[in-house]
Amino acid sequence: MTESKNELIGRIETEEFYVNFLNPNSNSILNESISIKEQVKKLAEGIELINQELHRQILEKHEDLLQQANNATKLETVLNSMNSHVKTLFIDAERLKTQITIPYNELEKHTKVLGRLHLASHILRQVNRLQQLSKRLTNTNDPVQKAILLQELEQLASDPELKDIDSVTNELRNIRVHQQKVVQLATGSLNQGAKNENITQTTTALQIFINIGTIESVANNFVDNNLHECRESLKLALSVSSFSSSKTKGGPGHINLTSSQGFRTKVWSEIEKVFAEDIFSICKQVKFLHNTLNNLYLVHSNLNIAEKFWIGFGKVFQEEIQKSTLALKQALEEDFPKLLKCYYEMTNKLKYDLFAFE
């Protein structure tokens, strides 16, 4: 069988007539030395031989061909079955997607509705609470209780959900009026109480600011205001230098008051007076307020208003001396022990450890 096949292939490949048909690069497949009739005959013989060989091989491979055809049929059946299963899977997936998506969308919608209801309920509760507190604020005469109510109202008003609500806006106007009155009353009481060292009055004022939540800014303002008063008192005491400067101008025969005993006496008289009276009074107020605040509310003991004031006072004193005339600076340098004496006499009267320079 194999030999017959090989013989046929060898014959076709070696015979000159058939070689022209096998060569794809051949320009002409006709052999001019042979007549057309003979070429047709030989071509028919070659085709017949090939047909016989194909027929023979088909007969020999009949079982294999049938098996392959059967396998192809089975494969087609399997593919059709898989295609059907895939389509069914897609249908089931779409059904499952629908079963999940619809409840999810419903749940999302209900969640949004619930969230809006919760927000509306929250706003109504806050507005109701704000109106109740505002009414209590109007009917309360105790400034300490008013301060507590104002602090809670301030927290309620800071809720961003309450913006652009007309009823809340109207209530806030009323609240601001009461707050201004309470702050003015507390500020006056604080200044008067610190000046007179009235513990009850000062404690009440501090408690109001603590309840409102502005104690830190109030304490800082108190320090700044007292430092400003110290600066003004020092300016007034050292203004004698302008008098001395005007007297030092002139030619021969004029008295130089900057080195005269009268000038120095005037300078130290003013400095001793400002230390003994004005600055001493201010320091005593700061000391009193610092101790009262520490005894009242330990959480705010870190304000250290006495320390802040004393550091600020040292800077103010240095700045005012730097601004003074050369004659006054010279007098202070030459009689520096007198300046130390003024400081020590004042601190000894105050008897306060925080008022001490390093």
Side-chain angles (χ1 to χ4, degrees):
M1 182 187 304
T2 305
E3 292 178 358
S4 176
K5 176 182 177 182
N6 292 335
E7 289 177 0
L8 176 61
I9 294 174
R11 179 182 173 184
I12 292 175
E13 289 180 348
T14 56
E15 192 168 339
E16 183 180 357
F17 177 77
Y18 296 118
V19 169
N20 292 330
F21 291 95
L22 298 176
N23 186 7
N25 298 323
S26 177
N27 295 327
S28 176
I29 59 175
L30 297 178
N31 192 343
E32 297 179 356
S33 62
I34 304 175
S35 64
I36 298 299
K37 184 177 180 180
E38 291 180 356
Q39 291 185 31
V40 171
K41 182 180 179 181
K42 289 183 71 66
L43 185 60
E45 290 177 356
I47 293 173
E48 181 63 24
L49 290 173
I50 293 174
N51 286 334
Q52 290 177 2
E53 182 63 24
L54 289 174
H55 183 68
R56 185 181 60 77
Q57 290 190 17
I58 289 172
L59 291 176
E60 291 178 355
K61 304 291 184 179
H62 179 70
E63 295 296 332
D64 294 337
L65 292 174
L66 289 177
Q67 184 66 31
Q68 290 180 5
N70 188 30
N71 291 338
T73 303
K74 290 181 179 180
L75 178 61
E76 184 179 2
T77 303
V78 171
L79 290 175
N80 291 334
S81 177
M82 289 182 63
N83 186 34
S84 176
H85 288 311
V86 170
K87 289 181 179 179
T88 304
L89 181 61
F90 273 112
I91 293 172
D92 292 340
E94 288 295 328
R95 186 184 301 111
L96 181 61
K97 178 182 177 182
T98 303
Q99 292 176 352
I100 294 175
T101 303
I102 293 177
Y104 174 79
N105 292 335
E106 290 293 327
L107 180 62
E108 184 180 22
K109 183 174 67 175
H110 291 315
T111 302
K112 289 181 179 179
V113 172
L114 182 61
R116 290 168 184 169
L117 289 174
H118 178 73
L119 178 60
S121 176
H122 169 73
I123 292 174
L124 289 174
R125 285 197 304 269
Q126 295 293 86
V127 171
N128 182 50
R129 178 62 177 168
L130 189 142
Q131 290 176 341
Q132 289 179 352
L133 292 176
S134 179
K135 186 176 180 180
R136 286 175 55 187
L137 180 67
T138 304
N139 298 331
T140 301
N141 295 323
D142 185 3
V144 177
Q145 290 298 321
K146 280 192 173 185
I148 297 174
L149 294 174
L150 285 170
Q151 173 67 4
E152 188 173 353
L153 285 167
E154 193 69 28
Q155 294 177 356
L156 289 173
S158 63
D159 191 341
E161 302 297 341
L162 299 183
K163 291 182 179 179
D164 302 327
I165 299 179
D166 294 338
S167 59
V168 174
T169 303
N170 295 332
E171 292 295 340
L172 287 177
R173 294 194 188 100
N174 181 44
I175 292 169
R176 294 289 178 261
V177 172
H178 284 283
Q179 187 177 29
Q180 290 177 0
K181 292 181 179 179
V182 171
V183 170
Q184 290 176 358
L185 176 64
T187 302
S189 297
L190 180 64
N191 294 332
Q192 191 67 29
K195 185 177 294 185
N196 298 330
E197 296 188 10
N198 187 321
I199 295 179
T200 302
Q201 191 176 15
T202 305
T203 301
T204 301
L206 290 175
Q207 188 64 59
I208 291 173
F209 289 121
I210 291 172
N211 293 340
I212 295 177
T214 59
I215 183 62
E216 186 172 352
S217 61
V218 168
N220 291 332
N221 289 336
F222 182 84
V223 172
D224 293 339
N225 292 336
N226 280 280
L227 287 175
H228 177 72
E229 291 184 13
C230 288
R231 186 184 295 276
E232 294 301 317
S233 298
L234 288 171
K235 282 183 179 179
L236 184 62
L238 299 177
S239 62
V240 68
S241 61
S242 61
F243 168 78
S244 64
S245 298
S246 63
K247 293 297 184 180
T248 55
K249 296 179 181 179
H254 287 79
I255 300 175
N256 188 353
L257 293 181
T258 59
S259 59
S260 66
Q261 187 62 34
F263 168 75
R264 292 179 181 273
T265 302
K266 179 65 175 176
V267 169
W268 287 110
S269 174
E270 293 295 330
I271 293 176
E272 289 172 357
K273 180 180 178 182
V274 77
F275 268 94
E277 297 178 4
D278 298 345
I279 297 178
F280 172 75
S281 176
I282 294 172
C283 290
K284 190 167 65 169
Q285 293 179 38
V286 174
K287 171 188 173 182
F288 172 76
L289 183 65
H290 183 87
N291 293 335
T292 304
L293 183 60
N294 286 344
N295 294 332
L296 177 65
Y297 206 61
L298 295 178
V299 174
H300 290 87
S301 60
N302 59 346
L303 290 174
N304 291 327
I305 60 175
E307 182 179 354
K308 291 179 181 178
F309 167 78
W310 193 246
I311 293 174
F313 171 70
K315 294 179 180 179
V316 167
F317 191 56
Q318 290 178 356
E319 291 171 359
E320 292 304 318
I321 291 177
Q322 292 297 326
K323 294 177 184 178
S324 62
T325 62
L326 182 61
L328 185 58
K329 292 178 183 178
Q330 183 179 357
L332 292 174
E333 290 177 0
E334 292 177 358
D335 295 330
F336 185 69
K338 290 185 178 181
L339 184 61
L340 291 178
K341 180 182 178 183
C342 293
Y343 162 71
Y344 281 117
E345 287 179 352
M346 184 187 72
T347 53
N348 286 335
K349 287 170 63 178
L350 289 170
K351 295 180 181 179
Y352 201 46
D353 295 336
L354 293 178
F355 290 162
F357 292 116
E358 295 180 358

